[in-house]
Amino acid sequence: MAKKPFFENVLEGGLFASRWLMAPFYVGLIAALGALMVVFFQELVAELPALWTLDPEGHFSMNAEDAILLALSLIDLSLAGNLVVIVMFAGYENFVSKIDTGDHEDRPSWMGTVDFSDLKLKLIASIVAISGIALLKAFLELGEDYTFDANAQAKLMWQVIVHLTFVASGVLLALMDWLTGHQKGH
């Protein structure tokens, strides 16, 4: 085997080492996860007193619909947190370095097995779920009367369009991965 020129070795070594420039991005995602956690608890603390507060008519302030909206908001935040963790772990392991946790009992079974294709699909699936929850919340906030102004109607229409765009994107990504897998003989 012929020896590579010095410049080529240095260039390739530099390119390979440059993957570490991505590490601060993943550290930044830890901060984003912390921000999601703070917002989660802020929302929980802000809404829970309504469980025991009475309105002027003597009814509890939080009704079933309000409880469902709170649950959807918290689920939305937890899905976003899950998404950050998946991107953080899978991105770091795919593009920077393997995470060595030894045989730790709490190591997620998917860690180290999510390749870039799987990451794309998990990402779009999470985005579709988050978008779907936001859309469900918007419909629930309409309440019993379906009369709303043109601005609310336009906002709801755009939420539906964006959600359907995410769904279509997910289906197309899955189809492309499926086609690529069949072309490679998988």
Side-chain angles (χ1 to χ4, degrees), residues 84-148:
V84 170
V85 168
I86 290 170
V87 170
M88 192 170 46
F89 284 175
Y92 185 86
E93 284 208 330
N94 278 307
F95 301 112
V96 179
S97 181
K98 295 294 178 198
I99 297 174
D100 184 15
T101 58
D103 290 333
H104 195 281
E105 64 186 45
D106 290 334
R107 180 183 172 96
S109 61
W110 57 265
M111 238 176 103
T113 63
V114 178
D115 62 10
F116 186 66
S117 179
D118 292 336
L119 182 59
K120 285 186 311 190
L121 292 176
K122 287 182 184 307
L123 179 68
I124 194 68
S126 294
I127 290 170
V128 167
I130 291 167
S131 172
I133 288 172
L135 190 57
L136 180 57
K137 275 178 55 178
F139 280 118
L140 287 174
E141 288 169 352
L142 287 176
E144 300 275 323
D145 78 15
Y146 294 99
T147 59
F148 49 101

Side-chain angles (χ1 to χ4, degrees), residues 31-48:
L33 189 59
L36 284 170
M37 182 186 68
V38 168
V39 170
F40 179 94
F41 284 108
Q42 284 174 341
E43 192 153 329
L44 189 61
V45 168
E47 295 295 326
L48 278 184

Side-chain angles (χ1 to χ4, degrees), residues 17-36:
S18 71
R19 74 193 190 283
W20 285 99
L21 294 174
M22 287 300 299
F25 289 88
Y26 300 116
V27 172
L29 288 177
I30 295 169
L33 189 59
L36 284 170

Side-chain angles (χ1 to χ4, degrees), residues 43-44 47-48 62 65-75:
E43 192 153 329
L44 189 61
E47 295 295 326
L48 278 184
M62 183 178 282
E65 188 174 293
D66 293 334
I68 291 169
L69 288 171
L70 173 62
L72 289 174
S73 292
L74 297 178
I75 290 168

